[in-house]
Amino acid sequence: GKLMFGDEYVSPAPIWSLMWLIINGLIFLALAWYFDHVISSNRGTHMPWNFIFTKKYWGKKKQRKTKQRKMSSLRVPELGDSAQEEKERIKQMESEGQLNEKGVRVLGIKKVFKKYPFGIKSEKDVHA
């Protein structure tokens, strides 16, 4: 084609426009999926930025062979001394047969359902 001042232009074939539309759609779909996993939301905690490269994400989990190995692996560095003492006390009570039922003790857990995204605080936030 020609423009008003004599310059020429080339118009790509419609198939090329369709191809670029599909490629851009796939790129944005992949980015949306990635950021949905990396940015924390109301569904829980976020994943690390490199979660795609971890064996845990792709289903490769190590199997523990014995109960003793499972119990020894429960030491979590974030646990305070009181939580570690509580765990040891419960293990001792289990080994002596003083506990008839198994259970989970959860302390200090809370959930905040936010009215607005991106951590914006509001008086309409629901605390559970």
Side-chain angles (χ1 to χ4, degrees):
K2 287 199 175 238
L3 295 174
M4 191 165 64
F5 297 109
D7 294 333
E8 291 189 14
Y9 67 92
V10 177
S11 178
I15 192 72
W16 286 105
S17 297
L18 180 63
M19 182 188 71
W20 281 112
L21 180 69
I22 292 171
I23 290 172
N24 283 334
L26 292 174
I27 289 171
F28 283 114
L29 179 71
L31 287 172
W33 171 81
Y34 175 77
F35 286 120
D36 184 47
H37 285 77
V38 173
I39 297 174
S40 61
S41 64
N42 63 349
R43 294 181 309 209
T45 59
H46 61 87
M47 296 179 126
W49 66 270
N50 61 345
F51 77 95
I52 297 173
F53 306 109
T54 61
K55 290 180 182 179
K56 182 179 177 184
Y57 178 75
W58 294 104
K60 309 269 183 184
K61 297 178 183 173
K62 292 182 181 179
Q63 298 288 334
R64 304 264 194 262
K65 292 185 180 178
T66 64
K67 184 178 179 180
Q68 187 65 6
R69 286 181 67 186
K70 283 184 183 178
M71 295 299 280
S72 66
S73 68
L74 289 177
R75 175 82 173 132
V76 180
E78 301 92 35
L79 286 178
D81 291 333
S82 62
Q84 186 62 30
E85 291 170 6
E86 176 79 8
K87 186 181 86 168
E88 296 296 328
R89 185 176 66 81
I90 296 297
K91 282 174 46 178
Q92 179 69 25
M93 290 174 69
E94 279 181 348
S95 66
E96 294 173 358
Q98 296 178 1
L99 290 178
N100 295 333
E101 297 180 21
K102 297 193 180 239
V104 177
R105 182 177 178 193
V106 180
L107 300 173
I109 190 168
K110 69 177 185 174
K111 172 69 179 164
V112 177
F113 296 94
K114 298 192 181 257
K115 174 76 175 163
Y116 302 108
F118 308 115
I120 299 171
K121 293 183 180 180
S122 168
E123 290 182 9
K124 295 181 181 180
D125 292 347
V126 177
H127 297 268

